[in-house]
Amino acid sequence: MSLEVKDCSVALAGTVVLSEVSATVGPGQWLGVIGPNGAGKSTLVRAILGLVPFTGAVRALGVDLARGTRRQWARLVSYVPQRPVLPASMSVTDYVLLGRSAHHPYLGAETARDRRATATVLDRLDLAALAGRQLGHLSGGELQRAVLARALVQEAPVLVMDEPTTSLDLGHSQMVLDLADELRREQGLTVLCALHDLTLAGQYSDHLLVICEGRSVLAGPPAQVLTRPNLERFFEATVSVVDHQGRPAVLPARRRRPAGGPAASGRPAHPEAEAAGITPTRTS
């Protein structure tokens, strides 16, 4: 397995926030981690990166996180954080180049190969025109793409992302996830991605892991996980789940309340989905 998490538990300030979560992701696979707010998704991601103390085991390509150095781990696993700390006066190019540091000897200088790799990623993420601009002058979406670019130039075989579409509009959200998906298919990149957008999770993931109240409560292919009963149970949401090109898409539905009565029950209609040629998925 490219990435293996076994019985991972995390306690913060004496409170257990993640309890015995296990997951495996094979070469070239995409595991989406979903769950309600505060469920423990980001805590799992941070444990995989060694950013919080944990019990259990985390391995990448057979290497145990607890036995390797941070530098060795950076060659195996790259990371896109949800809220990165960014030096405002640094240029986009210099920031992205930092992702190459894991490949340098201590005090080693950047190489022509580092520059080429950086230029390629900046171009693919629509950042080439901003290469010389300071980070402090970028929009939220531009900053998020710069953070992804830094992770990708590490050329690690495993990419871990925590809410990578935060601050991105729809087009750039697709650009970021499409690029990760292209690299997964072209180079066998393994992806673990925590997402709050259930439709994006269903469209890009091979498998989904649902975390609720710090525990793994459900796992499987998107079509089996993203069903109306599951989403009502674990997210307390009123939704319709429709099939789009063989993958599930989740449509939030307005909770309609008849005058003087309780919320209407039954499956909400979505004429706009039908007009777009999206066929509702039957759920039990």
Side-chain angles (χ1 to χ4, degrees):
M1 286 294 168
S2 291
L3 182 66
E4 180 183 7
V5 180
K6 186 174 182 180
D7 298 331
C8 183
S9 298
V10 176
L12 301 176
T15 300
V16 176
V17 294
L18 200 68
S19 180
E20 297 184 342
V21 172
S22 297
T24 57
V25 197
Q29 291 184 340
W30 184 309
L31 175 67
V33 181
I34 61 174
N37 290 343
K41 303 186 297 296
S42 292
T43 300
L44 174 62
V45 167
R46 290 173 63 80
I48 291 171
L49 274 294
L51 300 177
V52 292
F54 68 92
T55 59
V58 176
R59 301 182 183 90
L61 279 74
V63 176
D64 196 312
L65 169 60
R67 298 181 181 179
T69 66
R70 187 169 295 277
R71 187 179 183 81
Q72 290 171 329
W73 199 246
R75 293 175 180 172
L76 296 172
V77 181
S78 59
Y79 175 41
V80 177
Q82 184 177 358
R83 297 182 181 88
V85 177
L86 301 167
S89 61
M90 182 174 284
S91 73
V92 171
T93 293
D94 288 343
Y95 175 74
V96 174
L97 273 169
L98 291 176
R100 298 293 305 167
S101 59
H103 299 278
H104 299 161
Y106 288 106
L107 302 179
E110 67 193 43
T111 66
R113 185 180 186 282
D114 296 332
R115 288 279 179 180
R116 287 195 300 270
T118 298
T120 297
V121 172
L122 290 177
D123 185 60
R124 293 188 76 168
L125 279 172
D126 197 23
L127 287 169
L130 305 176
R133 188 175 297 183
Q134 292 182 341
L135 296 175
H137 296 162
L138 301 184
S139 70
E142 291 165 346
L143 285 171
Q144 192 72 0
R145 282 182 281 144
V147 173
L148 176 61
R150 173 177 167 167
L152 292 179
V153 299
Q154 283 181 235
E155 297 181 337
V158 178
L159 173 64
V160 175
M161 299 189 286
D162 187 9
E163 306 286 5
T165 59
T166 300
S167 302
L168 297 182
D169 57 37
L170 178 60
H172 284 111
S173 293
Q174 291 176 320
M175 178 187 294
V176 165
L177 297 179
D178 280 346
L179 177 56
D181 195 43
E182 287 171 14
L183 293 173
R184 178 176 72 95
R185 298 176 185 278
E186 293 171 5
Q187 303 175 14
L189 182 70
T190 298
V191 179
L192 182 144
C193 182
L195 281 168
H196 73 275
D197 189 310
L198 300 178
T199 293
L200 288 178
Q203 293 296 305
Y204 287 90
S205 305
D206 297 312
H207 289 80
L208 292 174
L209 172 67
V210 183
I211 297 179
C212 192
E213 296 182 348
R215 294 182 177 274
S216 171
V217 295
L218 190 63
Q224 294 180 14
V225 171
L226 296 179
T227 66
R228 192 166 161 236
N230 287 339
L231 298 178
E232 289 176 348
R233 177 183 178 187
F234 297 118
F235 291 83
E236 299 181 354
T238 301
V239 300
S240 284
V241 180
V242 299
D243 180 274
H244 180 60
Q245 297 180 350
R247 286 183 170 269
V250 179
L251 301 180
R254 178 182 177 186
R255 290 187 173 98
R256 297 182 179 178
R257 296 181 179 276
S265 60
R267 185 168 186 155
H270 280 280
E272 53 270 71
E274 296 176 2
I278 300 175
T279 304
T281 298
R282 295 183 179 178
T283 57
S284 56

